[in-house]
Amino acid sequence: MLEILKNFESAMGGTGRLSPGVMLGAGAAIVLLGLVIWLGGLGLRRVLSVIAGAATGGILVFIMVGGGSGPALIAAAVTGIFALEFEKVFVVIFAAILAIALGLSFQIGPHIENVQAVKAIDQDPNAPASVPHSTVSSGRSANKLGDYATDMGKSIKLACSLMPVRKWVIIVVLATIFIIGACFLRYPTLALCFSILGTTFIFAGMILLLLHKGAAPVAHISGKSSIYTGVFAVMVGLGTAEQLVLFGGAKTRVAPKGKSDKTKGKTAGEKQNWRT
């Protein structure tokens, strides 16, 4: 994961910096979305499941086809509808995909570095260089983000093909654990998944905001990776616990009440008919 973030920091920093408005707006929006998912994911599970389904399908197809917004948008629409109509099935799929992404983030780093090193060697030496510390317009910033996403998608696809079998075994075991949890402990697993996703968004948004200030947050994180990994884990644990406390038993509490009211009404009706 750090290798991908380092590449992002390098691509979005030094040369051809993104528009401050784009970085500030995108960073703040991602942090806000992350907070909502982190604290209230389980309470908003229907809406967030549709969004997560659309985003997951779009991103996966975008990486698989090597770019192109058309197929990604179609996949996003299909998976979003699927998540809405088949929520329980989607929870299992979502947990498995998130587990695979989590496993890849810890396993793919060296292979991403190898891919980037090969690309640097193959780079055209006659290609025009960017002006140092220049800032591109908002429109060009969006294009630059799109170009980076396409390039990184291809790099991830190639890096996955270079990973040894033993690493894939670890990822499959992790995905299996999440799938079993989603089947038998649906709400705790869903709360954990939303907490992981929300925490990731918060970190990503904060990195964008710090890049806007001209800092190098990824380099700082990589120097103290154990500390920030611990912070990430604590945030995931707190978000999961908070969601389960506030939203985990809401459905269970409402059902008995409705049943009790129905029983009371039926009993009252029986007494009234007996008297009459």
Side-chain angles (χ1 to χ4, degrees):
M1 176 62 76
L2 284 177
E3 287 74 16
I4 297 175
L5 293 176
K6 285 178 183 177
N7 290 327
F8 179 79
E9 184 175 82
S10 176
M12 301 300 150
T15 59
R17 294 170 62 93
L18 293 178
S19 167
V22 171
M23 295 185 72
L24 185 61
I30 292 172
V31 170
L32 181 60
L33 178 61
L35 286 171
V36 171
I37 298 173
W38 180 54
L39 295 174
L42 199 58
L44 301 170
R45 58 184 176 273
R46 291 284 292 175
V47 176
L48 292 179
S49 292
V50 174
I51 296 174
T56 301
I59 292 171
L60 286 177
V61 171
F62 186 87
I63 293 175
M64 286 166 48
V65 303
S69 58
L73 289 175
I74 294 173
V78 171
T79 51
I81 295 172
F82 178 85
L84 180 63
E85 296 296 328
F86 305 97
E87 183 187 0
K88 292 182 179 180
V89 178
F90 173 74
V91 169
V92 177
I93 298 173
F94 176 57
I97 292 175
L98 191 62
I100 293 171
L102 189 64
L104 280 175
S105 67
F106 287 100
Q107 303 276 357
I108 203 172
H111 307 287
I112 287 286
E113 286 185 337
N114 292 337
V115 170
Q116 294 298 323
V118 171
K119 285 186 177 182
I121 294 173
D122 295 339
Q123 189 175 7
D124 185 4
N126 298 320
S130 301
V131 179
H133 306 295
S134 62
T135 301
V136 299
S137 63
S138 299
R140 289 184 60 193
S141 294
N143 292 334
K144 186 176 180 180
L145 283 172
D147 293 341
Y148 175 79
T150 302
D151 181 69
M152 187 50 60
K154 293 178 180 178
S155 297
I156 292 174
K157 186 178 178 181
L158 181 56
C160 287
S161 67
L162 298 175
M163 286 175 57
V165 176
R166 59 182 177 82
K167 289 190 175 182
W168 283 110
V169 170
I170 296 173
I171 293 173
V172 169
V173 170
L174 182 62
T176 303
I177 294 172
F178 271 66
I179 290 172
I180 293 173
C183 290
F184 296 100
L185 298 169
R186 185 158 66 101
Y187 285 158
T189 303
L190 194 57
L192 175 63
C193 290
F194 280 136
S195 186
I196 292 173
L197 189 63
T199 304
T200 302
F201 277 21
I202 292 171
F203 269 66
M206 291 302 298
I207 287 173
L208 267 181
L209 292 175
L210 290 171
L211 283 175
H212 166 259
K213 291 293 185 180
V218 180
H220 181 74
I221 290 173
S222 62
K224 300 179 179 178
S225 57
S226 59
I227 295 176
Y228 285 96
T229 301
V231 172
F232 188 93
V234 170
M235 287 185 64
V236 168
L238 289 175
T240 304
E242 182 269 344
Q243 290 180 58
L244 289 174
V245 169
L246 292 183
F247 308 109
K251 188 174 182 180
T252 306
R253 286 194 299 267
V254 172
K257 182 179 178 182
K259 185 177 180 181
S260 177
D261 292 342
K262 186 177 179 180
T263 304
K264 288 180 180 179
K266 185 177 179 181
T267 304
E270 289 177 352
K271 289 182 178 180
Q272 186 176 0
N273 291 337
W274 179 78
R275 289 174 181 176
T276 55

